[in-house]
Amino acid sequence: MGTGKRGLIATAVAVVCAVTVLAAPGTAFANPSPTPTPSAGSATLAPAKDLEAVRKKLDKLYRAAARATDEYNAADEKADKQSDQVVQLAKKIVKGQEKLRKLKDRAGAAAAAQYRGGGLPPEAHLVLSEDPQDFLDGAGRVREGHHATKGLLGELTRTQEDLEQYAKDATAQLKKLEAGRKAKAAAQKKIEKQIAQAEKLESALQKEEQERLAELEKEAANKAQSAWLDSGILDEIGGKATEQGKKAVKYATAQIGKPYQWGAEGPKTYDCSGLTSQAWLSAGRGIPRTSQEQWKRLRHIDVQDMRPGDLIIYFGDASHVAMYIGDGAIVHAPRPGRTVTIAGAGSMPILGVVRPDADADADTDPDANTNAG
C-alpha cells in the first residue's frame, strides 16, 4: 500500500517492471506508419527476422523481470508489515515486564504484611483481644486482604502468561520476517539476472540495429493499438472521471519523463505499480502495491465501462499495470531504460480493467471523459 516507507527494510535498488512493446507519445493511438526503408550500406546488419527474434527475446526477459519485480514488491510489503508487528510486540513485552515488576513488588509487600500479622489461629486472637468487635472488624479486613492477595497472584500469573505469548508471537514474526527478506533477495537476483541478460543482448547490437529494433517495438505497439481501435471499442467507452480519478490522473501524468526503477514508488523514479498505487494514494485512496494484487483485490469492470483513473492490467500473469487517462490512452512506467510515458491502451495484451474508487459515482462534467490531468 505503499507510501515510500522502507524503515526497517533495506532500501530498494534500481531496475524493472515490464512491457516490451512501447508506443511513442503522439503516435501511440494512430495507425502504424510504414516501416522505414533500410538505408544503403545496411546490408551487413542483421536481417529483420533476426531482429524480430531479438525483440521477442527481450520481451520475454523483461516480462520475467516484471514478474520477479512483483514478487519483490510483495515480499517488501510483507516485510514492512512484519517489522511493524515485531515492533508492536516488543513494546507489549516492555510494558508487560514493567507491569510484572510492579505486581511482584505488591505481592512481596502483601506477603510481608501477612507475616507481620503473626501465625496465631483466629481463636487465640479472639481470646487475646480486649474488644471482640475490634477482632471481628480485623478479621473482616484480613479476609479482604486474602481476597486481594489472591486476585493479585491471579493477575501476576496472567501477566506472566501474556509475556510468554508475546515472546512466542515475536519469535514467529521474526521467522516470517527473515523468510520475507530471503524471498526479497531471491526476487532481486531474478530481476538482476533478467535485466543483465537483456542489456547484454541489446549492447551486442550495432547502433543501426538498435535503432531498427526500436522501430520494430514501435511498429508492434502501433499494430496492436490499431487492431484495438479498429474493433470499435473506443466508441463504446464513455465513462467520466470521478473527482478522485481526476486527481489520480493528474498525479500520474505529472510524473511523465521520470525514469523507471523496479521497486520504486517515487518521487523521482517508479515501477509500473509504484506509479499507479502512489497516484491513487495522492487522490486519497490506498490500493494494493503490486499489479497482481491490484488485479486480485480491486473491483473488475468491463473494458467498455472504463473511465479515466481506472487501471488496465496487462498480460495473462498480470505483470504490468497502467492508468487509463481517456481517448484510448494510458500513462505507465514501461520497463528498465524507459521513462514514464503515454501510450495506447491497446498497445499490449489487456487482461482486464480494475477500478480503485469502486464506490464513487462519476461526476457530470461533460469534459471529464478526456484526459483528466
Side-chain angles (χ1 to χ4, degrees):
M1 350 275 73
T3 58
K5 45 153 189 12
R6 285 295 171 267
L8 300 173
I9 308 304
T11 352
V13 235
V15 202
V16 23
C17 187
V19 345
T20 49
V21 289
L22 296 173
T27 64
F29 327 118
N31 288 329
S33 52
T35 306
T37 304
S39 58
S42 64
T44 58
L45 302 178
K49 64 178 182 180
D50 290 345
L51 283 177
E52 177 62 15
V54 170
R55 186 189 71 79
K56 289 180 178 179
K57 177 65 175 176
L58 286 172
D59 176 65
K60 184 177 179 181
L61 290 171
Y62 282 126
R63 285 195 54 206
R67 288 190 293 272
T69 298
D70 245 19
E71 292 173 14
Y72 177 93
N73 289 334
D76 192 35
E77 192 174 30
K78 283 183 182 178
D80 273 354
K81 289 178 181 177
Q82 287 157 358
S83 292
D84 289 342
Q85 289 169 346
V86 169
V87 170
Q88 293 306 314
L89 285 167
K91 289 179 180 178
K92 285 183 178 181
I93 289 172
V94 170
K95 288 181 179 179
Q97 288 173 333
E98 178 61 19
K99 181 180 179 181
L100 189 63
R101 184 188 65 76
K102 290 179 179 178
L103 287 171
K104 284 182 176 179
D105 288 346
R106 285 172 56 194
Q114 188 175 9
Y115 174 77
R116 286 194 298 272
L120 292 175
E123 297 82 357
H125 281 289
L126 180 58
V127 171
L128 295 173
S129 174
E130 295 180 0
D131 186 343
Q133 186 60 47
D134 284 347
F135 167 75
L136 293 175
D137 291 342
R141 287 193 295 272
V142 168
R143 282 196 299 272
E144 291 174 1
H146 280 310
H147 285 309
T149 302
K150 187 176 180 181
L152 180 62
L153 292 174
E155 189 175 0
L156 191 64
T157 301
R158 288 192 298 273
T159 302
Q160 288 175 320
E161 290 173 348
D162 287 345
L163 278 172
E164 289 174 4
Q165 188 60 50
Y166 294 153
K168 288 178 182 177
D169 291 345
T171 300
Q173 288 302 328
L174 285 169
K175 287 181 179 178
K176 289 181 181 179
L177 181 59
E178 184 58 29
R181 285 175 172 159
K182 288 180 180 178
K184 272 181 64 178
Q188 181 175 336
K189 285 182 180 179
K190 285 183 187 178
I191 295 167
E192 291 173 344
K193 179 182 178 181
Q194 304 300 334
I195 298 299
Q197 289 180 356
E199 289 176 344
K200 182 178 180 181
L201 189 59
E202 288 186 279
S203 65
L205 300 175
Q206 297 179 36
K207 182 180 178 181
E208 293 86 349
E209 289 173 327
Q210 291 178 352
E211 291 172 352
R212 287 173 62 189
L213 180 63
E215 287 299 324
L216 285 174
E217 288 183 347
K218 292 177 185 178
E219 183 182 340
N222 287 338
K223 184 178 180 181
Q225 175 70 0
S226 290
W228 188 69
L229 293 175
D230 289 344
S231 70
I233 187 65
L234 202 55
D235 295 333
E236 301 179 45
I237 300 173
K240 296 176 174 60
T242 61
E243 286 303 316
Q244 275 192 316
K246 290 178 183 178
K247 290 177 182 178
V249 170
K250 183 176 181 180
Y251 180 97
T253 53
Q255 312 312 311
I256 289 173
K258 292 185 179 181
Y260 177 99
Q261 180 179 337
W262 62 266
E265 299 174 274
K268 295 182 179 180
T269 57
Y270 295 88
D271 64 18
C272 64
S273 56
L275 176 66
T276 54
S277 59
Q278 287 301 302
W280 271 101
L281 189 63
S282 76
R285 192 171 186 91
I287 64 173
R289 169 65 178 88
T290 69
S291 59
Q292 292 178 348
E293 285 302 303
Q294 288 169 4
W295 174 242
K296 286 179 185 176
R297 292 163 56 187
L298 297 179
R299 178 188 170 192
H300 290 207
I301 62 166
D302 293 333
V303 174
Q304 60 266 30
D305 294 329
M306 70 180 173
R307 63 195 185 201
D310 287 343
L311 306 182
I312 303 180
I313 309 295
Y314 291 97
F315 304 107
D317 55 6
S319 58
H320 190 66
V321 60
M323 180 178 291
Y324 185 64
I325 59 175
D327 290 336
I330 57 170
V331 60
H332 70 148
R335 66 165 174 86
R338 300 291 193 263
T339 59
V340 175
T341 189
I342 291 175
S347 59
M348 296 168 283
I350 295 175
L351 177 61
V353 180
V354 294
R355 176 162 294 165
D357 56 340
D359 300 327
D361 292 326
D363 60 30
T364 55
D365 181 355
D367 297 323
N369 184 36
T370 58
N371 187 333

